[in-house]
Amino acid sequence: MLRKIRITLALLLFVAITLLVLDFTSSFNMLFSWIAKMQLVPAILAANFIVVAVLAIVTLLMGRIYCSVVCPMGTYMDCVAWLSRKLFQKGRAKYHHIEHPLVHNVIRGSFLALFIILMVCGMVGVASLIAPYSSYVRMTLTILKPLYLIGNNALAYIAEQMDSYAFYDVEVWFQPTLVLITTLITWLIITIMAARWGRLYCNSICPVGSVLGLLARFSWFKPVIANDKCVHCGLCERGCKAQAIKITRDETAIDYTRCVDCFDCLEACKHGAVEFKGSGFKVQGSRVQGSTNESNKTNKTNRTNEVPSRRTFLLTALSAGAGAALAQTGKKMDGGLAVVKDKVIPERQTPILPPGAQSAEYFAKHCTACQLCVSECPNDVLRASTDLLHFMQPVMGYEYGYCREECHKCSDVCPTGAIKLADAAMKTSTKVGQAHWIKKNCIPVTDGVDCGNCARHCPTGAIEMIPLDENDEEGAYIPMINEARCIGCGACENLCPARPLSAIIVEGIEQQQTI
């Protein structure tokens, strides 16, 4: 019963946080944003001592139940391990470090020390490479969101061909190559470790698992092997996903720093020898028999029959997505005559941070680089940084859109408070950068007609068109930027028709200001 409850809760939270990351509709943010804020690392960075205290108390009470229920990375690894066993009929790896606990403690102690040093030095983005919550969110965004966008664009293309709806622009998911490669390598390593060794990542690399493991040694409720009932069959040892149980002829032992309270051992034991108990409380394991060879043969037959349908589905989806992408090639035309060049990302001296980030120093120390704000940004303004000191933390760019004054979704979803905006009014008065006009990029005057696109679309009225020659008011006009009114939203840079570089470039500032 405990195992079924644990699996149900873990799957519910796992699905909820995945929907929050992908955010197919805006309602998921309102429903599930609290799940991101109850993750341990974001709670620490947000100085949310209530959440940290609750997680510590729960760990002291029931052990590492957080790792088995709340952490999305843990549930993902359980799914991978389960699928691996079903596909390859391979048992779980035994705990081979229990004879040499010093080696294991040195390994995970080194990763924990490295994580703490990076955090103290303000390199939170680099430290987040081994943090479970941030890693899972980045993996989900990198792998699942493109698939969703391909399907969404394919449906839009089909709808256009059927004349059902007007065609709408393809959504853009921008990931720098270095960030993409790093995320894919992280996903590959974690997936292989989970498929081969179960929760080895949790117990050797994960800093959250290492910290909670220290507390779990003193937990009140914990699984215990009753020596008077144990027949040393080793079923609990083979069924332990955390490789925390050691069974020999002479001894039985459980490493509680590794145990994630999955309750699999309770179900695996046929003799009720494994008990989850504390002071005055005890739950015995059920006597569930293992699967038969006939059921294994049936599973193999079903998997064989499912292969063609999966291949057909994947080929159909890829074909539709490719068709939608090819269809968009014809859309980037000016009247069908000239190809419109894409904007080039300008080299900024200072990165532009999201409104509410306060300062470069504050943001670097509080952002977990989970990129949840990148996923939620409806204007495609945020993307991951490739700078080493701020690796994978979000910065702003205006190639695909600009930061609209009425939007503050990044602040709503940020679990650490790295982005703080009380409301939209606060955003319109927050200066994140300064626009600069570049004369050589500006579109030249044609028959006395000036562009003036930047002045027309500036939401704060910071740009005014003035005569190039003050003595000739009927001549060419150029933009003049009022630095006191400019907030760096990027509307001028994004909507400037000049290609490949805009005639107005926004530079970031170290300390955001209120104007």
Side-chain angles (χ1 to χ4, degrees), residues 45-276:
L45 292 176
N48 193 338
F49 299 114
I50 295 178
V51 172
V52 175
V54 169
L55 294 178
I57 292 171
V58 169
T59 304
L60 288 172
L61 184 65
M62 298 186 64
R64 289 175 57 182
I65 199 72
Y66 168 91
C67 300
S68 207
V69 176
V70 180
C71 178
M73 182 65 81
T75 306
Y76 168 76
M77 288 188 292
D78 288 348
C79 294
V80 171
W82 176 83
L83 185 62
S84 174
R85 292 196 307 275
K86 292 296 182 181
L87 292 177
F88 304 109
Q89 297 295 312
K90 194 171 185 178
R92 287 169 172 159
K94 292 185 178 181
Y95 180 29
H96 55 277
H97 284 306
I98 201 163
E99 289 83 7
H100 305 286
L102 179 61
V103 176
H104 170 248
N105 291 335
V106 168
I107 292 174
R108 67 177 175 182
S110 299
F111 277 106
L112 179 59
L114 176 63
F115 179 81
I116 294 174
I117 291 172
L118 291 173
M119 294 284 283
V120 171
C121 293
M123 301 177 66
V124 180
V126 180
S128 69
L129 291 175
I130 59 174
Y133 162 74
S134 299
S135 296
Y136 174 75
V137 174
R138 288 194 299 268
M139 287 161 45
T140 303
L141 291 176
T142 301
I143 297 169
L144 294 185
K145 186 158 185 174
L147 295 178
Y148 161 69
L149 293 180
I150 289 174
N152 190 38
N153 297 332
L155 291 176
Y157 176 70
I158 294 171
E160 183 200 27
Q161 301 305 311
M162 297 175 62
D163 294 327
S164 301
Y165 302 97
F167 192 88
Y168 56 90
D169 291 336
V170 171
E171 295 180 73
V172 176
W173 174 239
F174 181 86
Q175 281 278 56
T177 304
L178 179 60
V179 174
L180 179 63
I181 293 175
T182 303
T183 304
L184 290 177
I185 291 175
T186 301
W187 168 75
L188 188 62
I189 292 174
I190 290 177
T191 301
I192 292 175
M193 290 181 69
R196 179 64 184 87
W197 297 290
R199 288 293 192 107
L200 183 61
Y201 165 84
C202 294
N203 293 320
S204 299
I205 298 176
C206 177
V208 175
S210 298
V211 172
L212 295 181
L214 296 176
L215 296 177
R217 296 178 60 186
F218 310 101
S219 61
W220 188 25
F221 295 106
K222 60 184 67 176
V224 177
I225 301 175
N227 291 325
D228 57 334
K229 298 179 181 179
C230 180
V231 297
H232 301 273
C233 63
L235 288 177
C236 59
E237 182 182 26
R238 290 193 294 272
C240 179
K241 68 178 65 175
Q243 306 168 27
I245 301 178
K246 175 187 176 183
I247 300 293
T248 65
R249 288 188 177 184
D250 301 323
E251 78 173 307
T252 60
I254 298 179
D255 184 351
Y256 295 111
T257 65
R258 280 179 167 262
C259 177
V260 294
D261 284 338
C262 63
F263 310 124
D264 286 1
C265 53
L266 274 70
E267 296 285 341
C269 183
K270 298 180 180 180
H271 305 281
V274 184
E275 305 166 347
F276 187 70

Side-chain angles (χ1 to χ4, degrees), residues 363-396:
F363 188 69
K365 290 182 177 179
H366 290 81
C367 175
T368 63
C370 68
Q371 299 178 24
L372 190 56
C373 57
V374 178
S375 171
E376 290 289 332
C377 181
N379 306 307
D380 298 311
V381 172
L382 295 175
R383 70 282 315 270
S385 171
T386 57
D387 177 56
L388 180 59
L389 292 177
H390 313 96
F391 192 53
M392 291 196 177
Q393 293 181 332
V395 293
M396 298 176 72

Side-chain angles (χ1 to χ4, degrees), residues 12 15 75 80-81 96 160 198 252 301 319 322 327 329 349 358 361 363 377-378 387 446 479 494 503:
L12 288 175
V15 171
T75 306
V80 171
H96 55 277
E160 183 200 27
T252 60
T301 303
S319 299
T329 304
Q349 299 298 320
Q358 300 185 31
E361 182 181 1
F363 188 69
C377 181
D387 177 56
T446 304
N494 173 252

